[in-house]
Amino acid sequence: MTKPFAFELLHVCKQTGARRGRLHTPHGVIETPVFMPVGTQASVKTMSPEELKDCGAQIILSNTYHLHLRPGEALVERAGGLHRFMHWNRPILTDSGGFQVFSLADLRKVEERGVEFRSHLDGSKRFIGPEESIAIQQALGSDIMMQFDECSPYPCDYDRAKGAMHRTIRWLERCMKAWNDDGRQALFGIVQGAFYADLRVECAREMAKLDLPGFGIGGLSVGEPKEVMYEMLEKLMPWMPEQKPRYLMGVGSPDCLIEGVLRGVDMFDCVLATRVARNGTVFTHDGRLVVRNAKYAEDFTPLDPDCDCYACRNYTRAYIRHLFKAGEILALRLNSIHNIYFLTKMMEEMRAAIEQDALLDWANAFYARHGRGNW
Amino acid sequence: MTKPFAFELLHVCKQTGARRGRLHTPHGVIETPVFMPVGTQASVKTMSPEELKDCGAQIILSNTYHLHLRPGEALVERAGGLHRFMHWNRPILTDSGGFQVFSLADLRKVEERGVEFRSHLDGSKRFIGPEESIAIQQALGSDIMMQFDECSPYPCDYDRAKGAMHRTIRWLERCMKAWNDDGRQALFGIVQGAFYADLRVECAREMAKLDLPGFGIGGLSVGEPKEVMYEMLEKLMPWMPEQKPRYLMGVGSPDCLIEGVLRGVDMFDCVLATRVARNGTVFTHDGRLVVRNAKYAEDFTPLDPDCDCYACRNYTRAYIRHLFKAGEILALRLNSIHNIYFLTKMMEEMRAAIEQDALLDWANAFYARHGRGNW
């Protein structure tokens, strides 16, 4: 039997260096590169688990901060864990709460022991540190836990970024001590260091010494230009452990997925697909399409004529636009299904292209129709 | 081949007089008695057509007034008709717009030729009479069209009720003239007469002379006590054509479905099931359950342990309550699926009980657990 959380690096694209891999988990195998839809509050917004599976979702992400505040990890644990609570039997990755504490909570106070903050729901005083984050994630029972980290903003001065990076390494060591490593849950470290290549490399080298099942890349896609992110990835990647999965956190537009895979990323997550869907915007092979627009009122073609998702097989732009104008929830569902399917299909095609050593050809063909700067 | 819209009266329950029938339509056979979910704006709120089928829905209702205002029947016709527009290949019944014009539109002016009103959406001036209503419904392409009628409020004085009833008969004759009876769409008359038995009987007797495929009973369930409605049904039913389907409009709580079937009704529709679902309330064999309530926070049983709908097979009260508290759309979907399934299952059980001449036994057993006055 394969070791829990074994990562097999199956092939490296000769044309690009992109990686084709396979990550084993207690809830099934994940073919990488993979996009993970986000189910913040134990639900991928508007979608059922069956719809996610029909869209090809292999693993979803859920949020420690949100579930800790509501309904609370104790309730989820009594329900039999997050998988059972939300009726999802494939792998789940939980973030650590770190990013949300920095970006959502009020009055946060960051100290060496952790972060004191007020809940965005009721203002109640809370504390999460490395030990608390791991305890919460263990109660939730996700397959992959992320370490509690300190994420630097953009821009960020060197000393602050360096401090946050070193603290993240110290917090990782505390997370590892708190982690009950019984083969049921993996723990990933998170490489920080803001936009300073030397800090990123130092962080990656330090973390590479730890025999962890995988590593996240945090603190990117936080407002910087895309070229800045791509450059940072290029400088960082040679220092990431080759035999471990690399998860670029919070990234998920079509172009960024391609650029990430080209640079050796194995895993992605982002709310973009489902968020823009609910606002009436969908991905297509020809780029962004705002189906709410008046010009689609009598357009009886699918959202994307070259897509074979449930929405595109059965509904027209005119109908979905009507549902949006009428305030019907089915509109949000159909757009969400389409966008998730679009991204998982992209990843599937990229996996095939890597195996054929032809990812650059695939990317060029995609960009020729879609354009590069759409998102 | 069976004549279009032929109604077969298969059996009359010896214990109660309830009717077991079968209505043929161009989009399939409807086993009666039947409950029809309501898709006001070309969508049964929150649900997909596949989910409706999984719930056992045989036919749905859609609203002429709403579709006329948005997106307009011309657009639906260009889309290939309502079935194709909304991806529903089973029968559709459209109301005439009469009831909505009276209850939703502003500044309505009722004259012999029809009703002038202002749209509730944009205040634009509109007119619908019998000919316009039929023209709209023919453009939509529903299987069953309802006549344009004048619905009396509750309470209503005798002369006004009598006038509205006679006008409804005259409007029915105009609807029949406007109706292009090519076997593709049926037209049902609507018996009016408020809460005056003699007016109801007169209306039914007059309409019985017209060889129509079926008849609605309108103007009930408009605010009167349930006993008043049941009494009116009892007085009216002997005068309704025995060989034609009888559709009690706007009625759909569990107890009213039972009482209607017991009194010889074949078809029902109501928004109650989906509306209360979205507010957090579900039907159960033990009566009303408000799943939002705090007492279900850690209740890991299904909405109704004796239900085998998708929601009850896979989710707990605790999870659905969490989704409601978190504002997740999946909550609305699961409750809607459950409530529609609950009613279609009730109808299925009643059809079987009628065939076994045991509907009263079935009703008594249902009430013993559920109670009578829950809705």
Side-chain angles (χ1 to χ4, degrees):
Chain A
M1 200 184 134
T2 318
K3 182 171 160 259
F5 306 105
F7 179 70
E8 303 174 63
L9 184 57
L10 301 173
H11 187 76
V12 175
C13 174
K14 294 186 180 62
Q15 202 178 40
T16 63
R19 297 146 55 92
R20 173 75 181 87
R22 184 171 290 153
L23 178 60
H24 295 262
T25 83
H27 287 89
V29 164
I30 301 160
E31 303 292 340
T32 66
V34 65
F35 169 75
M36 306 184 280
V38 180
T40 300
Q41 304 183 108
S43 172
V44 175
K45 286 191 192 304
T46 82
M47 296 179 72
S48 72
E50 286 76 10
E51 285 164 346
L52 284 165
K53 289 180 184 179
D54 287 346
C55 287
Q58 304 183 68
I59 170 174
I60 61 168
L61 181 145
S62 198
N63 290 98
T64 290
Y65 168 83
H66 287 281
L67 295 178
H68 171 61
L69 294 183
R70 182 174 58 196
E73 65 277 10
L75 189 149
V76 174
E77 190 171 29
R78 281 195 288 277
L82 188 53
H83 293 84
R84 199 162 155 196
F85 185 56
M86 68 179 292
H87 175 52
W88 172 258
N89 59 8
R90 291 187 181 176
I92 299 175
L93 181 149
T94 41
D95 66 3
S96 67
F99 181 77
Q100 267 83 19
V101 165
F102 287 96
S103 61
L104 284 181
D106 288 332
L107 299 171
R108 62 178 191 275
K109 204 169 102 190
V110 186
E111 296 174 319
E112 187 60 23
R113 65 182 190 113
V115 183
E116 201 176 87
F117 61 97
R118 287 191 186 276
S119 158
H120 77 287
L121 293 179
D122 62 6
S124 61
K125 220 173 182 174
R126 307 280 186 142
F127 177 83
I128 296 183
E131 293 77 14
E132 289 76 12
S133 172
I134 296 300
I136 297 168
Q137 295 183 73
Q138 289 186 153
L140 296 174
S142 53
D143 297 87
I144 301 172
M145 304 186 290
M146 299 305 295
Q147 77 151 106
F148 193 72
D149 60 334
E150 183 174 346
C151 181
S152 299
Y154 177 82
C156 179
D157 67 54
Y158 187 84
D159 286 346
R160 185 175 167 187
K162 186 174 180 176
M165 182 273 280
H166 281 297
R167 176 172 277 159
T168 295
I169 295 174
R170 291 192 299 275
W171 282 358
L172 175 54
E173 286 159 358
R174 283 168 55 191
C175 285
M176 290 177 72
K177 274 186 202 135
W179 172 31
N180 168 28
D181 184 10
D182 57 2
R184 213 170 55 89
Q185 295 180 277
L187 174 66
F188 279 25
I190 300 177
V191 172
Q192 291 288 356
F195 296 90
Y196 302 101
D198 65 318
L199 297 183
R200 288 275 173 189
V201 170
E202 183 183 347
C203 190
R205 293 181 70 172
E206 285 304 310
M207 287 191 180
K209 295 175 191 166
L210 307 171
D211 186 32
L212 285 168
F215 295 93
I217 301 161
L220 295 184
S221 193
V222 290
E224 77 282 7
K226 286 180 181 179
E227 292 309 323
V228 172
M229 178 173 83
Y230 299 153
E231 197 193 321
M232 196 48 52
L233 279 179
E234 284 158 22
K235 289 182 175 155
L236 169 60
M237 278 305 178
W239 304 94
M240 297 287 287
E242 198 194 354
Q243 299 299 326
K244 299 292 170 67
R246 304 158 174 180
Y247 159 33
L248 179 54
M249 304 179 75
V251 167
S253 63
D255 53 340
C256 285
L257 290 177
I258 294 171
E259 297 305 316
V261 172
L262 284 170
R263 288 164 179 80
V265 174
D266 305 302
M267 303 168 70
F268 302 86
D269 82 285
C270 194
V271 297
L272 180 81
T274 44
R275 180 172 291 163
V276 301
R278 297 194 306 282
N279 289 330
T281 299
V282 291
F283 305 136
T284 82
H285 285 90
D286 298 301
R288 172 199 294 260
L289 187 146
V290 184
V291 71
R292 302 181 66 113
N293 283 351
K295 66 174 168 176
Y296 302 117
E298 303 224 5
D299 185 336
F300 300 119
T301 62
L303 291 175
D304 182 340
D306 291 321
C307 175
D308 54 359
C309 79
Y310 169 76
C312 288
R313 279 185 282 115
N314 298 304
Y315 303 91
T316 62
R317 295 170 180 178
Y319 179 65
I320 296 174
R321 177 179 186 272
H322 161 68
L323 294 180
F324 265 105
K325 304 306 279 185
E328 289 288 349
I329 280 172
L330 186 58
L332 316 181
R333 293 180 56 185
L334 295 177
N335 272 10
S336 298
I337 286 171
H338 171 77
N339 276 359
I340 293 295
Y341 184 91
F342 190 88
L343 295 189
T344 59
K345 195 80 183 174
M346 275 186 71
M347 302 311 284
E348 188 186 314
E349 291 180 15
M350 283 198 271
R351 290 195 296 271
I354 293 169
E355 289 171 2
Q356 292 154 25
D357 296 312
L359 184 61
L360 196 62
D361 299 340
W362 183 91
N364 286 335
F366 184 91
Y367 280 136
R369 238 184 110 175
H370 179 275
R372 285 178 182 266
N374 251 309
W375 300 97
Chain B
M1 201 184 133
T2 317
K3 182 173 159 255
F5 305 105
F7 180 69
E8 303 173 64
L9 184 56
L10 301 172
H11 187 74
V12 175
C13 174
K14 293 186 180 63
Q15 200 178 40
T16 63
R19 296 146 56 93
R20 172 74 181 88
R22 183 172 291 152
L23 177 61
H24 295 263
T25 83
H27 287 89
V29 163
I30 301 160
E31 304 291 342
T32 67
V34 65
F35 169 75
M36 305 183 281
V38 180
T40 301
Q41 304 184 107
S43 172
V44 176
K45 287 191 191 304
T46 82
M47 295 180 71
S48 73
E50 286 76 11
E51 285 165 344
L52 284 164
K53 289 180 183 178
D54 287 346
C55 286
Q58 304 182 67
I59 171 174
I60 61 167
L61 181 146
S62 198
N63 289 99
T64 290
Y65 168 83
H66 287 282
L67 294 178
H68 171 61
L69 295 183
R70 184 175 56 199
E73 65 277 10
L75 189 150
V76 175
E77 190 171 27
R78 282 195 287 278
L82 186 53
H83 293 83
R84 199 163 154 194
F85 185 55
M86 68 180 290
H87 175 53
W88 173 257
N89 60 9
R90 291 187 181 176
I92 298 175
L93 181 149
T94 42
D95 67 3
S96 66
F99 182 77
Q100 266 84 19
V101 165
F102 286 96
S103 59
L104 284 182
D106 287 332
L107 298 171
R108 62 180 192 273
K109 203 169 102 190
V110 185
E111 296 174 318
E112 186 61 23
R113 66 183 188 111
V115 183
E116 203 176 86
F117 61 96
R118 287 191 185 277
S119 158
H120 77 287
L121 293 179
D122 61 6
S124 61
K125 221 173 182 174
R126 307 279 184 142
F127 176 83
I128 297 182
E131 292 77 13
E132 289 76 13
S133 172
I134 295 300
I136 297 168
Q137 295 183 75
Q138 289 185 153
L140 295 174
S142 53
D143 297 86
I144 301 173
M145 304 187 290
M146 299 304 297
Q147 76 150 106
F148 194 70
D149 60 336
E150 184 175 346
C151 180
S152 300
Y154 176 82
C156 178
D157 67 55
Y158 187 85
D159 286 346
R160 183 173 168 190
K162 186 174 179 174
M165 182 272 281
H166 281 296
R167 177 171 278 158
T168 295
I169 295 174
R170 290 192 298 275
W171 282 359
L172 176 54
E173 287 159 358
R174 282 168 57 190
C175 285
M176 290 177 72
K177 275 187 200 135
W179 172 31
N180 168 28
D181 183 11
D182 58 2
R184 213 170 55 89
Q185 294 181 276
L187 174 65
F188 280 23
I190 300 177
V191 174
Q192 291 289 356
F195 295 90
Y196 302 100
D198 64 317
L199 297 181
R200 288 273 172 189
V201 170
E202 184 184 345
C203 189
R205 291 181 70 172
E206 284 303 311
M207 288 191 179
K209 294 175 190 166
L210 306 171
D211 186 30
L212 286 168
F215 296 92
I217 301 161
L220 296 185
S221 194
V222 289
E224 77 283 7
K226 287 180 181 180
E227 291 309 324
V228 172
M229 176 173 84
Y230 299 153
E231 197 192 321
M232 195 50 52
L233 280 179
E234 285 158 20
K235 289 181 176 157
L236 168 61
M237 278 305 177
W239 303 95
M240 299 286 288
E242 198 195 353
Q243 299 299 325
K244 299 292 170 67
R246 305 158 173 179
Y247 160 31
L248 179 54
M249 303 179 76
V251 168
S253 63
D255 53 339
C256 286
L257 290 176
I258 295 171
E259 297 305 316
V261 172
L262 285 170
R263 286 163 180 81
V265 174
D266 304 302
M267 302 166 72
F268 302 85
D269 82 284
C270 194
V271 296
L272 179 81
T274 43
R275 181 171 291 164
V276 302
R278 297 194 305 283
N279 289 329
T281 299
V282 291
F283 305 137
T284 81
H285 285 90
D286 298 303
R288 173 199 294 259
L289 186 145
V290 184
V291 70
R292 301 180 67 111
N293 283 351
K295 67 174 168 177
Y296 302 117
E298 303 225 4
D299 185 335
F300 300 119
T301 63
L303 291 174
D304 182 340
D306 291 321
C307 175
D308 54 359
C309 79
Y310 169 77
C312 288
R313 279 186 283 113
N314 298 305
Y315 303 91
T316 62
R317 296 170 179 177
Y319 179 66
I320 296 173
R321 177 177 186 273
H322 162 67
L323 293 179
F324 265 105
K325 302 307 279 185
E328 290 288 348
I329 280 172
L330 186 58
L332 316 181
R333 294 180 56 185
L334 295 176
N335 272 11
S336 298
I337 286 171
H338 172 77
N339 275 0
I340 293 295
Y341 184 92
F342 190 88
L343 295 189
T344 59
K345 195 80 182 173
M346 274 185 71
M347 302 311 283
E348 187 185 313
E349 290 180 14
M350 283 198 272
R351 289 196 297 270
I354 293 169
E355 289 171 2
Q356 292 154 25
D357 297 312
L359 184 61
L360 195 61
D361 299 341
W362 183 91
N364 285 336
F366 184 91
Y367 281 135
R369 236 182 111 174
H370 179 275
R372 284 177 182 266
N374 252 309
W375 301 95

